[in-house]
């Protein structure tokens, strides 16, 4: 039967108008937020049922699902990536922790300010990938207030 419509009554052009309006509404909300529609939402992968089943014992859990070890790991990466580290920060650690904060990997709370901080550490020490990400964040104004935005840094 050609008269059946799924979810929206009327014709295909009528349905298209509803779907377009919904898509534009979502994009307006994303672009008006702190990520300006350029950053994906956090990627939370904890499986609470798995943690419960294994009683929270880390040895029985996958690497993304060890909440009791998260803060220790972050503290270790922060120490390695510190600008005060002699002779220079560990750029792999800086890039890793920046990605954790940018994407919200492994249960880390998404924090774009901290992501920018660690990407800038990478860029200051000629790590092209981390520096490039810091530049993009400067161009888009992500992870900073409008007053902090510095396009000179983005193109340096």
């Amino acid at each position: 039967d050609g008269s059946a419509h799924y979810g929206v009554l009327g014709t295909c052009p009528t349905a298209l108008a509803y779907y377009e309006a919904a898509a534009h509404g979502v994009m307006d909300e994303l672009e008006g937020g702190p990520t300006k529609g350029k950053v994906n939402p956090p990627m939370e992968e904890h499986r609470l049922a798995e943690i419960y089943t294994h009683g929270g014992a880390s040895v029985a859990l996958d690497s993304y699902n060890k909440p009791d070890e998260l803060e220790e790991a972050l503290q270790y990466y922060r120490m390695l990536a510190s600008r005060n580290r002699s002779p220079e920060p560990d750029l792999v650690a800086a890039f890793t922790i920046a990605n954790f904060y940018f994407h919200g990997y492994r249960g880390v709370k998404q924090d774009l300010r901290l992501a920018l901080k660690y990407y800038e550490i990478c860029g200051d020490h000629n790590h092209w990938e981390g520096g490039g990400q810091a530049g993009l964040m400067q161009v888009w104004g992500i992870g900073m207030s409008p007053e902090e935005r510095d396009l000179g840094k983005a193109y340096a």
Side-chain angles (χ1 to χ4, degrees):
D1 176 337
S3 64
H5 296 280
Y6 299 100
V8 180
L9 298 175
T11 64
C12 286
T14 304
L16 179 62
Y18 282 104
Y19 291 127
E20 280 182 339
H24 289 301
V26 168
M27 285 308 299
D28 289 344
E29 186 175 327
L30 287 173
E31 289 173 348
T35 66
K36 313 221 182 329
K38 306 287 187 206
V39 180
N40 291 329
M43 302 179 84
E44 177 59 66
E45 291 191 29
H46 284 308
R47 295 191 184 131
L48 296 179
E50 187 179 311
I51 293 170
Y52 178 78
T53 301
H54 295 290
S58 292
V59 294
L61 299 172
D62 292 321
S63 62
Y64 61 83
N65 213 15
K66 296 183 178 187
D68 58 326
E69 295 178 6
L70 177 62
E71 189 51 42
E72 286 179 27
L74 290 176
Q75 185 175 355
Y76 180 69
Y77 279 119
R78 282 187 212 109
M79 188 240 349
L80 290 177
S82 171
R83 289 184 193 270
N84 301 327
R85 190 161 185 264
S86 181
E88 65 179 44
D90 181 327
L91 299 181
V92 172
F95 187 67
T96 300
I97 197 168
N99 282 328
F100 283 0
Y101 284 125
F102 187 81
H103 298 287
Y105 286 151
R106 297 191 178 184
V108 173
K109 184 178 184 303
Q110 190 174 39
D111 187 327
L112 299 175
R113 282 188 166 283
L114 286 174
L116 178 61
K117 172 186 170 180
Y118 289 105
Y119 284 135
E120 285 180 340
I121 290 172
C122 291
D124 291 345
H125 292 87
N126 300 316
H127 183 281
W128 67 270
E129 199 170 3
Q133 191 65 29
L136 281 175
M137 291 179 77
Q138 286 285 346
V139 167
W140 292 334
I142 296 172
M144 68 198 74
S145 67
E147 298 79 37
E148 296 171 310
R149 190 171 178 200
D150 182 359
L151 291 178
K153 282 185 174 180
Y155 296 106

